[in-house]
Amino acid sequence: MANTIYVLNGPNLNLLGTREPRTYGRATLQDVEKLCRAAGKRHKLTVEFRQSNHEGELIDWIQEAGARKAAGILINPGGLTHTSVSIRDAVAAIGVPVIEVHISNVFARESFRHLSHVAPVAKASLAGFGVQGYALAIDGLAALIGARRKG
Ligand code: CA2
């Protein structure tokens, strides 16, 4: 799994492109998947792209990526970013670099979105670039992995 990255999307991200275009843009989750696969291809990384509305399923996938020694994880935990100690614990428990991605600039929104339980245990966090942030995060992850491989 050295060349596989997981891209995990949390609750309600399946609604992308159908509502709230001013906050999240018009791209659908399928568009995001295509964008991630294209970015992955540029770096010779296979993308395992998933979305769930269920916290436990996301945790299972984080653990799966750890057990399979994936090269890295990109995660947009959605609203669970701000509430889930369990997702934070799962991220902290695996030896795989995790990048946190948000489509919107969470720091320019309501104060409850300013706290991320994931950020302190993530390798890096990125917010506010729209769905292009996923591609930027894959570029960043590829650079991190490349640097680590070179030692
Ligand atoms: O900006 C982000 O990517 C968020 O993770 C999106 C979450 C939100 O709770 C976080 O604070 C920031 C919400 C995902 C729901 O996405 C929707 C998309 C279209 C329509 C409705 C919801």
Side-chain angles (χ1 to χ4, degrees):
M1 295 287 282
N3 291 320
T4 299
I5 61 168
Y6 280 59
V7 179
L8 304 180
N9 295 279
N12 298 311
L13 284 158
N14 54 313
L15 299 176
L16 271 183
T18 67
R19 269 169 245 174
E20 300 190 45
R22 289 220 305 211
T23 307
Y24 299 116
R26 296 200 177 274
T28 63
L29 193 63
Q30 213 184 351
D31 296 329
V32 178
E33 179 171 357
K34 276 189 202 149
L35 181 156
C36 288
R37 291 198 189 286
K41 208 168 175 183
R42 287 200 298 276
H43 299 289
K44 298 189 169 50
L45 292 167
T46 303
V47 171
E48 188 68 49
F49 190 93
R50 301 184 187 172
Q51 186 274 332
S52 178
N53 290 329
H54 306 280
E55 185 175 13
E57 191 161 34
L58 290 162
I59 291 166
D60 286 344
W61 291 341
I62 294 165
Q63 292 184 7
E64 177 187 307
R68 295 173 78 182
K69 298 191 188 331
I73 300 178
L74 243 77
I75 187 165
N76 182 347
L80 291 171
T81 307
H82 319 297
T83 61
S84 179
V85 172
S86 302
I87 288 185
R88 175 202 169 110
D89 288 345
V91 168
I94 58 164
V96 165
V98 176
I99 314 289
E100 176 192 16
V101 184
H102 297 287
I103 297 166
S104 63
N105 180 359
V106 284
F107 302 104
R109 299 180 64 191
E110 304 95 324
S111 60
F112 66 83
R113 296 187 203 273
H114 299 178
L115 170 75
S116 167
H117 288 291
V118 177
V121 290
K123 194 83 185 160
S125 300
L126 194 147
F129 287 101
V131 296
Q132 279 304 324
Y134 283 72
L136 295 172
I138 289 174
D139 289 346
L141 180 59
L144 282 174
I145 297 165
R148 209 174 45 174
R149 278 204 192 119
K150 283 178 195 136

